[in-house]
Amino acid sequence: MPFLPVWLPGRLSVAQVLLAALVLSSAGAGPKEPASTIGCPESCYCSTSPGGGAGVGAVGGDLAVRCSNQFLSAVPRNLPNATRRLYLDYNQLVSVPADAFLGLPLLAELDLSHNQLTLLEPGSLSALGPSLRSLDLSSNRLTTLDPEALGGLAAKANLTNNPWLCDCALQEAMPKLDLDPASLVDVVCAAAVPEEVDAKGKSFVLLAEEMDLCAGLKRTTDVAMFITMFGWFAMVISYLVYYVRANQEDARRHLAYLKSLPKGHGDESSTVSTMV
Ligand SMILES: *[C@@H]1O[C@H](CO)[C@@H](O)[C@H](O)[C@H]1NC(C)=O
Ligand SMILES: *[C@@H]1O[C@H](CO)[C@@H](O)[C@H](O)[C@H]1NC(C)=O
């Protein structure tokens, strides 16, 4: 391909670029442009609204990728790296893999609502870091908020309509989250641990103000620790008792043996008996 270097410094016409691409791909040589920088994923609709509310550094407009209502069971792979808004609502996603949203440094709005999400893998959303402003996780099947998945996200989140399990794990997770605090009011308990807590329909934040959901667990651990220690103690004591008994038995047998010996060794046996 000797003509390529001649072309590159000059102005490229569309036809030249296409031709070059054709030559490169047919030659199987040149580095393939990653799919993420061009095109739109299958079953998505991409649109650019010039300068549409994207804020500082909105070069090249505001790229929105809409993949709503497409029966998707996985997050599309080849999302354009300039995506600012991504709509994945009304699909059949059950989990968000750790690498689902890598390479999207501009993503500011993410809609994952109305799916069947039960799991957000560690790192999956926290990878979006501070660029994310709005996160919709409403109407899914989430039961807990994992700081490993959501830590470092300062987004405003919609967390309504999920079957949240209000337990010690959730209580411990809350202070580790950086989400907009107003979002957390929408974490409404569907169930609680310990079960006797009447939590159904209550906001977790309010519940946690009233009671310590980890208190029961601490008590259980204390009891378990006590039982374990008592068990060890009992074992040591019974071993000691057994040891002493067995030795007494031995000594007695030894004594009896000495006594059965012919007389003349009497003083020896009395020494042993004083020893025992
Ligand atoms: C997207 O990828 C292209 C090519 O790799 C790069 O030039 C561009 O800066 C990237 N855009 C963003 C927003 O990272
Ligand atoms: C949160 O999601 C629910 C259900 O998907 C919706 O009805 C509600 O309007 C959303 N709230 C906000 C503040 O966007």
Side-chain angles (χ1 to χ4, degrees):
M1 301 167 283
F3 43 88
L4 269 178
V6 185
W7 282 6
L8 285 174
R11 277 236 178 102
L12 299 180
S13 76
V14 174
Q16 280 172 322
V17 171
L18 283 178
L19 190 59
L22 200 68
V23 169
L24 282 174
S25 58
S26 62
K32 273 211 176 115
E33 191 81 348
S36 57
T37 60
I38 44 168
C40 189
E42 214 183 310
S43 69
C44 298
Y45 164 73
C46 300
S47 63
T48 308
S49 59
V56 190
V59 186
D62 182 6
L63 178 58
V65 178
R66 296 169 200 278
C67 322
S68 312
N69 226 326
Q70 295 295 317
F71 306 100
L72 295 176
S73 56
V75 176
R77 283 278 127 196
N78 46 349
L79 294 162
N81 69 347
T83 304
R84 277 176 195 277
R85 290 182 286 146
L86 176 57
Y87 301 93
L88 287 163
D89 49 321
Y90 292 97
N91 280 297
Q92 289 158 5
L93 307 176
V94 292
S95 69
V96 178
D99 59 353
F101 303 118
L102 290 182
L104 304 175
L106 303 180
L107 195 64
E109 191 179 334
L110 175 59
D111 189 350
L112 288 164
S113 68
H114 298 94
N115 279 283
Q116 273 116 54
L117 293 176
T118 56
L119 174 70
L120 309 172
E121 279 187 15
S124 55
L125 295 169
S126 47
L128 294 168
S131 73
L132 197 70
R133 299 285 164 78
S134 156
L135 172 64
D136 197 342
L137 288 170
S138 65
S139 303
N140 275 289
R141 296 191 184 161
L142 297 171
T143 55
T144 197
L145 290 166
D146 181 3
E148 300 269 313
L150 295 160
L153 276 189
K156 203 174 273 226
N158 188 341
L159 301 172
T160 59
N161 204 12
N162 278 284
W164 300 112
L165 174 64
C166 294
D167 63 354
C168 182
L170 192 58
Q171 180 176 313
E172 287 180 340
M174 284 290 183
K176 296 181 194 156
L177 298 174
D178 305 301
L179 293 173
D180 178 24
S183 322
L184 302 176
V185 177
D186 291 336
V187 176
V188 171
C189 311
V193 174
E195 280 91 358
E196 58 269 22
V197 175
D198 178 29
K200 213 171 159 140
K202 276 192 187 163
S203 168
F204 177 78
V205 178
L206 299 179
L207 184 72
E209 275 173 15
E210 284 171 23
M211 62 190 317
D212 179 4
L213 288 160
C214 295
L217 196 68
K218 275 179 210 134
R219 207 156 42 231
T220 319
T221 340
D222 285 352
V223 169
M225 188 95 84
F226 179 76
I227 289 174
T228 315
M229 274 171 60
F230 184 79
W232 277 107
F233 190 67
M235 265 169 66
V236 169
I237 293 291
S238 41
Y239 180 73
L240 275 177
V241 167
Y242 167 79
Y243 183 81
V244 167
R245 286 245 172 104
N247 276 305
Q248 270 179 354
E249 202 68 25
D250 255 8
R252 227 172 273 141
R253 243 183 287 129
H254 189 66
L255 204 61
Y257 167 75
L258 288 177
K259 277 187 177 154
S260 72
L261 288 177
K263 295 286 173 184
H265 295 280
D267 45 338
E268 200 185 314
S269 66
S270 64
T271 327
V272 175
S273 60
T274 49
M275 264 170 64
V276 175

